[in-house]
mmCIF file of all heavy atoms in Angstrom:
data_model
loop_
_atom_site.group_PDB
_atom_site.id
_atom_site.type_symbol
_atom_site.label_atom_id
_atom_site.label_comp_id
_atom_site.label_asym_id
_atom_site.label_seq_id
_atom_site.Cartn_x
_atom_site.Cartn_y
_atom_site.Cartn_z
ATOM 1 N N THR A 10 -2.664 -63.603 -41.081
ATOM 2 C CA THR A 10 -1.257 -63.282 -41.404
ATOM 3 C C THR A 10 -1.167 -62.141 -42.393
ATOM 4 O O THR A 10 -2.165 -61.908 -43.130
ATOM 5 C CB THR A 10 -0.497 -64.505 -41.895
ATOM 6 O OG1 THR A 10 -1.075 -64.845 -43.181
ATOM 7 C CG2 THR A 10 -0.614 -65.681 -40.951
ATOM 8 N N LEU A 39 -27.283 -47.382 -14.748
ATOM 9 C CA LEU A 39 -27.348 -45.978 -15.004
ATOM 10 C C LEU A 39 -28.078 -45.338 -13.827
ATOM 11 O O LEU A 39 -28.925 -45.960 -13.146
ATOM 12 C CB LEU A 39 -28.178 -45.693 -16.260
ATOM 13 C CG LEU A 39 -27.731 -46.414 -17.565
ATOM 14 C CD1 LEU A 39 -28.729 -46.137 -18.630
ATOM 15 C CD2 LEU A 39 -26.361 -45.892 -17.936
ATOM 16 N N CYS A 43 -29.445 -40.991 -16.437
ATOM 17 C CA CYS A 43 -28.937 -41.916 -17.481
ATOM 18 C C CYS A 43 -27.448 -41.863 -17.691
ATOM 19 O O CYS A 43 -26.936 -42.076 -18.771
ATOM 20 C CB CYS A 43 -29.704 -41.722 -18.808
ATOM 21 S SG CYS A 43 -31.366 -42.138 -18.812
ATOM 22 N N GLN A 55 -30.102 -67.489 -8.120
ATOM 23 C CA GLN A 55 -30.806 -68.531 -8.961
ATOM 24 C C GLN A 55 -32.074 -68.880 -8.166
ATOM 25 O O GLN A 55 -32.038 -69.148 -6.988
ATOM 26 C CB GLN A 55 -29.865 -69.727 -9.062
ATOM 27 C CG GLN A 55 -30.479 -70.941 -9.570
ATOM 28 C CD GLN A 55 -29.416 -72.077 -9.541
ATOM 29 O OE1 GLN A 55 -28.374 -71.976 -10.195
ATOM 30 N NE2 GLN A 55 -29.722 -73.147 -8.878
ATOM 31 N N GLN A 61 -41.494 -77.898 -4.462
ATOM 32 C CA GLN A 61 -42.853 -77.278 -4.249
ATOM 33 C C GLN A 61 -42.721 -75.839 -3.875
ATOM 34 O O GLN A 61 -43.447 -74.990 -4.309
ATOM 35 C CB GLN A 61 -43.595 -78.047 -3.274
ATOM 36 C CG GLN A 61 -44.211 -79.380 -3.809
ATOM 37 C CD GLN A 61 -45.210 -79.959 -2.836
ATOM 38 O OE1 GLN A 61 -45.008 -79.951 -1.633
ATOM 39 N NE2 GLN A 61 -46.225 -80.521 -3.423
ATOM 40 N N VAL A 62 -41.753 -75.493 -2.987
ATOM 41 C CA VAL A 62 -41.442 -74.140 -2.667
ATOM 42 C C VAL A 62 -40.192 -73.803 -3.421
ATOM 43 O O VAL A 62 -39.189 -74.429 -3.272
ATOM 44 C CB VAL A 62 -41.225 -74.049 -1.095
ATOM 45 C CG1 VAL A 62 -40.776 -72.609 -0.783
ATOM 46 C CG2 VAL A 62 -42.450 -74.448 -0.367
ATOM 47 N N PRO A 63 -40.274 -72.703 -4.246
ATOM 48 C CA PRO A 63 -39.060 -72.351 -4.920
ATOM 49 C C PRO A 63 -37.826 -72.159 -4.068
ATOM 50 O O PRO A 63 -37.941 -71.596 -3.019
ATOM 51 C CB PRO A 63 -39.488 -71.029 -5.625
ATOM 52 C CG PRO A 63 -40.925 -71.054 -5.714
ATOM 53 C CD PRO A 63 -41.356 -71.809 -4.534
ATOM 54 N N GLU A 67 -27.841 -67.708 -3.791
ATOM 55 C CA GLU A 67 -26.994 -66.647 -4.332
ATOM 56 C C GLU A 67 -25.836 -67.266 -5.061
ATOM 57 O O GLU A 67 -25.124 -68.126 -4.484
ATOM 58 C CB GLU A 67 -26.537 -65.743 -3.198
ATOM 59 C CG GLU A 67 -25.747 -64.517 -3.687
ATOM 60 C CD GLU A 67 -25.385 -63.561 -2.613
ATOM 61 O OE1 GLU A 67 -26.295 -63.143 -1.856
ATOM 62 O OE2 GLU A 67 -24.212 -63.206 -2.607
ATOM 63 N N GLU A 76 -17.870 -47.768 -17.430
ATOM 64 C CA GLU A 76 -19.006 -47.312 -18.320
ATOM 65 C C GLU A 76 -20.326 -47.859 -17.777
ATOM 66 O O GLU A 76 -21.309 -47.800 -18.486
ATOM 67 C CB GLU A 76 -18.763 -47.842 -19.749
ATOM 68 C CG GLU A 76 -17.519 -47.308 -20.387
ATOM 69 C CD GLU A 76 -17.154 -48.004 -21.647
ATOM 70 O OE1 GLU A 76 -17.687 -49.066 -21.866
ATOM 71 O OE2 GLU A 76 -16.342 -47.447 -22.426
ATOM 72 N N PHE A 79 -21.747 -54.469 -17.084
ATOM 73 C CA PHE A 79 -21.409 -55.665 -16.374
ATOM 74 C C PHE A 79 -21.773 -56.933 -17.218
ATOM 75 O O PHE A 79 -22.584 -56.791 -18.178
ATOM 76 C CB PHE A 79 -22.138 -55.725 -15.010
ATOM 77 C CG PHE A 79 -23.625 -55.890 -15.135
ATOM 78 C CD1 PHE A 79 -24.240 -57.131 -15.201
ATOM 79 C CD2 PHE A 79 -24.431 -54.781 -15.186
ATOM 80 C CE1 PHE A 79 -25.569 -57.254 -15.312
ATOM 81 C CE2 PHE A 79 -25.846 -54.922 -15.350
ATOM 82 C CZ PHE A 79 -26.404 -56.168 -15.365
ATOM 83 N N ALA A 80 -21.292 -58.001 -16.875
ATOM 84 C CA ALA A 80 -21.588 -59.298 -17.591
ATOM 85 C C ALA A 80 -21.599 -60.447 -16.590
ATOM 86 O O ALA A 80 -20.703 -60.475 -15.700
ATOM 87 C CB ALA A 80 -20.596 -59.558 -18.716
ATOM 88 N N ASP A 86 -31.458 -73.207 -18.281
ATOM 89 C CA ASP A 86 -32.280 -74.301 -17.754
ATOM 90 C C ASP A 86 -33.666 -73.845 -17.588
ATOM 91 O O ASP A 86 -33.940 -72.779 -17.019
ATOM 92 C CB ASP A 86 -31.635 -74.596 -16.331
ATOM 93 C CG ASP A 86 -32.256 -75.840 -15.745
ATOM 94 O OD1 ASP A 86 -33.463 -76.121 -15.963
ATOM 95 O OD2 ASP A 86 -31.544 -76.595 -15.018
ATOM 96 N N ARG A 92 -32.418 -63.767 -10.740
ATOM 97 C CA ARG A 92 -32.819 -62.462 -10.212
ATOM 98 C C ARG A 92 -31.525 -61.696 -10.035
ATOM 99 O O ARG A 92 -30.559 -62.148 -9.429
ATOM 100 C CB ARG A 92 -33.562 -62.544 -8.957
ATOM 101 C CG ARG A 92 -34.081 -61.170 -8.512
ATOM 102 C CD ARG A 92 -34.951 -61.275 -7.251
ATOM 103 N NE ARG A 92 -33.976 -61.216 -6.135
ATOM 104 C CZ ARG A 92 -34.241 -61.661 -4.950
ATOM 105 N NH1 ARG A 92 -35.331 -62.298 -4.692
ATOM 106 N NH2 ARG A 92 -33.378 -61.529 -3.970
#
Side-chain angles (χ1 to χ4, degrees):
T10 66
L39 305 173
C43 294
Q55 168 184 301
Q61 283 192 321
V62 177
E67 186 173 310
E76 298 170 345
F79 68 90
D86 187 325
R92 186 177 87 205

